[in-house]
Amino acid sequence: MIVLDDGPAPLYQRVKQLIVQNVASGAWGPDHKIPSENELVRDLGISRMTVHRALRELTSEGMLVRVHGVGTFVAGAKPQAPLMEIRSIADEIRERGHEHRAEVIWHQVEEAPADVASQFSVMPGTQLYHTVLTNLENEVPIQLEDRWVNPAAVPRYLEIDPARVTPHHYLMQQAPLSEGEHIIEAVLAEPWERKHLQIDKTEPCLLIRRRTWSNGQIISAARLLYPGARYRLGGRFMKRGS
Amino acid sequence: MIVLDDGPAPLYQRVKQLIVQNVASGAWGPDHKIPSENELVRDLGISRMTVHRALRELTSEGMLVRVHGVGTFVAGAKPQAPLMEIRSIADEIRERGHEHRAEVIWHQVEEAPADVASQFSVMPGTQLYHTVLTNLENEVPIQLEDRWVNPAAVPRYLEIDPARVTPHHYLMQQAPLSEGEHIIEAVLAEPWERKHLQIDKTEPCLLIRRRTWSNGQIISAARLLYPGARYRLGGRFMKRGS
DNA sequence: GTTATAGTGTTGTCTAGACAACTATGAGGC
DNA sequence: GCCTCATAGTTGTCTAGACAACACTATAAC
């Protein structure tokens, strides 16, 4: 039985959510043919244009593949390796066989400063969740994580203990990732950042600004700061814009 | 006077093209308020849903900014540095104050092999343009560029001389960039690639696979191979997928 | 058996209209 | 001056229907 969640969200977003849930749960595996537009129209009792918009957006987001005159299918394994990979630093460290520990510096509600507000497309002063912590590999600080989270998307975020459940894992579980953005640059760390990373004034750092979306809604914006001498970046990236 | 191009393309795509042209030509600069949906409906003689879809897609592509109840504006300077940057290797070399020269290896029509066809979403055997060349910095090969181009999007591509006009510059001029994708990995070069790059069998290479889109249409797919000892990658990336 | 042809089901596009939600503006009352 | 409220203009969403384009299948003709 297919039924829409109720809620204040627009209809087409709830249709998208329904599809995403079926795919994320594994009920609809790769190459599964999903119900046709007319079937969804009949089952959900909504208009075809609304269904069509939901399916079209999910197609442009890479979750579905549509074939004119045939049907709509769950996107299978891509011909090349996954285009995006957002890894957890904790997983990375453990895969290297090292010990991982997180030291929480802040974990609270804060009013968004202007630069953060613009990234979230909200008014400055809007209340957001803010977590700052360092990730240590064998007791050596390897990353400073400065993360803002959208309370509307993840209302219970503040209840977690970031030292035990990494914010990354919690967010991935609460809001299946649909889109991400990485900006990579080399910078010098601020004094308070240097203190937590235990690095020298002249130490160049790799800065990764990461934003993630789920179902069109921004979930989180994070600044990830790596001491240059202790980290190298690898992986695949995709970029888009302007 | 605002008027749509005629052609076989769907109406909403022609509306997008009209907006893109006005922005690319500079007629509508950053923060310019573009005509409202109702004005476009009246001037173009088409329905509002069609106009709305065009504006909505351009907004999601980052070209426009829409404010509920106010209007639609050309996206201005972003609060942070441009999210995507696709640079020309020739520009990079010249900025370092070095001499740049390109050696053309192939520049012709070819039938797409299966892997290329899948990247272009066409049938294997479809005729595409194919250019292979090396870029030399002070007569030292620094990059091998293996590029496929969509003839439907850039029909006169074969008429250029890649040694004089870089394919990158020509494509950027012919089809304003709207979207791009980078995949970065480390590989060993094929024998024929090693010959042109004048590198050793065991030399690790940085491989960047780059695809670019313009107005929803794929323009070009390129494999850019850099000898690891002669190049370091820097820049900003954005990724999205799955 | 092979080849046309018609029919069915699917996605892609477009229309005309409606209502909701939001913003800015100006008029009026205090 | 300051506040409240009505109004107009804009974008966001949704509907019901229509036709086109495409793929597949079953049927009929040869």
Side-chain angles (χ1 to χ4, degrees):
Chain A
M1 185 55 187
I2 295 182
V3 61
L4 283 181
D5 294 349
D6 54 355
L11 262 179
Y12 76 91
Q13 280 192 16
R14 285 187 275 157
V15 176
K16 286 177 70 174
Q17 202 170 3
L18 184 149
I19 311 287
V20 168
Q21 283 170 352
N22 274 283
V23 173
S25 74
W28 293 348
D31 297 330
H32 175 84
K33 181 173 183 177
I34 78 169
S36 75
E37 294 189 356
N38 283 327
E39 285 174 320
L40 290 173
V41 163
R42 177 161 37 79
D43 294 351
L44 302 177
I46 62 182
S47 115
R48 191 179 151 230
M49 280 295 286
T50 303
V51 171
H52 183 74
R53 174 170 176 184
L55 297 182
R56 176 156 43 79
E57 292 194 359
L58 285 173
T59 300
S60 84
E61 291 168 14
M63 171 161 286
L64 301 178
V65 174
R66 317 199 74 188
V67 182
H68 194 171
V70 179
T72 305
F73 306 85
V74 176
K78 299 234 172 98
Q80 57 213 17
L83 294 179
M84 105 175 283
E85 185 179 13
I86 293 204
R87 307 214 45 208
S88 158
I89 184 77
D91 291 343
E92 270 186 54
I93 291 171
R94 291 200 198 92
E95 279 177 19
R96 287 197 283 269
H98 292 171
E99 181 207 350
H100 167 258
R101 189 169 66 84
E103 274 186 2
V104 181
I105 302 168
W106 294 312
H107 186 57
Q108 59 194 16
V109 175
E110 271 180 59
E111 296 185 352
D115 58 333
V116 173
S118 81
Q119 293 197 323
F120 276 78
S121 301
V122 299
M123 293 298 296
T126 304
Q127 301 228 315
L128 301 176
Y129 298 153
H130 188 201
T131 301
V132 177
L133 55 84
T134 52
N135 282 293
L136 296 87
E137 177 167 6
N138 287 348
E139 296 303 315
V140 176
I142 194 179
Q143 183 206 59
L144 186 139
E145 175 176 339
D146 183 346
R147 181 187 295 275
W148 295 81
V149 173
N150 180 359
V154 196
R156 303 168 68 90
Y157 173 76
L158 275 193
E159 299 176 10
I160 70 168
D161 174 6
R164 301 195 53 210
V165 179
T166 72
H168 172 268
H169 282 141
Y170 181 75
L171 293 174
M172 291 290 279
Q173 171 205 333
Q174 291 296 309
L177 184 67
S178 69
E179 206 168 345
E181 171 192 293
H182 274 177
I183 301 171
I184 304 173
E185 52 190 323
V187 298
L188 289 180
E190 299 292 321
W192 72 270
E193 295 170 334
R194 289 207 305 272
K195 190 187 77 179
H196 290 294
L197 287 173
Q198 302 169 19
I199 58 174
D200 190 74
K201 190 175 192 174
T202 60
E203 167 95 25
C205 289
L206 191 64
L207 172 63
I208 304 184
R209 281 203 283 261
R210 172 193 287 175
R211 289 196 288 174
T212 53
W213 284 262
S214 181
N215 204 15
Q217 186 180 34
I218 187 165
I219 301 299
S220 168
R223 288 175 79 254
L224 308 173
L225 196 65
Y226 301 83
R230 300 180 198 152
Y231 196 76
R232 292 196 315 165
L233 174 71
R236 306 179 183 85
F237 302 90
M238 172 171 179
K239 64 183 189 175
R240 162 191 107 168
S242 181
Chain B
M1 184 54 186
I2 295 184
V3 61
L4 282 181
D5 296 348
D6 55 355
L11 262 179
Y12 77 91
Q13 280 192 16
R14 285 186 276 156
V15 176
K16 287 177 70 174
Q17 200 169 4
L18 184 150
I19 311 287
V20 168
Q21 282 169 353
N22 273 284
V23 173
S25 75
W28 293 349
D31 296 330
H32 175 84
K33 180 173 183 178
I34 78 170
S36 75
E37 294 188 356
N38 283 326
E39 285 174 320
L40 289 172
V41 163
R42 177 161 37 78
D43 295 351
L44 302 177
I46 61 182
S47 111
R48 192 180 151 230
M49 280 296 286
T50 304
V51 171
H52 183 74
R53 174 170 177 184
L55 297 182
R56 177 156 42 80
E57 292 194 358
L58 285 173
T59 300
S60 85
E61 291 168 14
M63 171 160 287
L64 301 178
V65 174
R66 316 200 74 189
V67 182
H68 195 170
V70 180
T72 305
F73 307 85
V74 176
K78 299 234 172 95
Q80 58 212 18
L83 294 180
M84 106 176 283
E85 187 179 12
I86 293 205
R87 306 215 44 208
S88 158
I89 184 76
D91 292 343
E92 269 186 55
I93 291 172
R94 291 199 198 93
E95 278 177 20
R96 286 196 285 268
H98 293 170
E99 181 206 350
H100 167 258
R101 189 169 66 82
E103 273 187 2
V104 181
I105 302 169
W106 294 312
H107 187 55
Q108 60 194 13
V109 175
E110 272 181 59
E111 296 185 352
D115 58 332
V116 174
S118 81
Q119 293 197 324
F120 276 78
S121 299
V122 299
M123 293 297 298
T126 304
Q127 301 227 317
L128 301 176
Y129 299 153
H130 188 200
T131 301
V132 177
L133 55 83
T134 52
N135 283 293
L136 296 86
E137 177 167 5
N138 287 349
E139 297 303 316
V140 176
I142 194 181
Q143 182 207 59
L144 187 140
E145 174 176 338
D146 184 345
R147 182 187 295 276
W148 295 81
V149 174
N150 181 359
V154 196
R156 302 168 70 89
Y157 173 76
L158 275 194
E159 299 175 10
I160 70 167
D161 174 6
R164 302 194 51 211
V165 180
T166 71
H168 172 267
H169 282 141
Y170 180 76
L171 293 174
M172 290 290 280
Q173 171 205 333
Q174 291 295 308
L177 184 66
S178 70
E179 206 168 346
E181 169 192 294
H182 274 177
I183 301 171
I184 305 174
E185 53 190 323
V187 298
L188 288 180
E190 299 292 322
W192 71 271
E193 296 170 335
R194 290 208 305 271
K195 191 186 77 180
H196 291 294
L197 287 173
Q198 301 169 21
I199 57 173
D200 190 73
K201 190 175 191 174
T202 60
E203 168 95 25
C205 289
L206 192 63
L207 172 64
I208 304 184
R209 280 202 285 260
R210 172 194 287 175
R211 289 196 290 172
T212 54
W213 285 261
S214 181
N215 204 17
Q217 185 181 34
I218 186 164
I219 301 298
S220 167
R223 289 175 77 254
L224 309 174
L225 197 64
Y226 301 83
R230 300 179 197 151
Y231 195 78
R232 292 197 315 166
L233 173 72
R236 305 180 183 86
F237 302 89
M238 172 171 179
K239 65 182 187 176
R240 164 191 105 169
S242 177

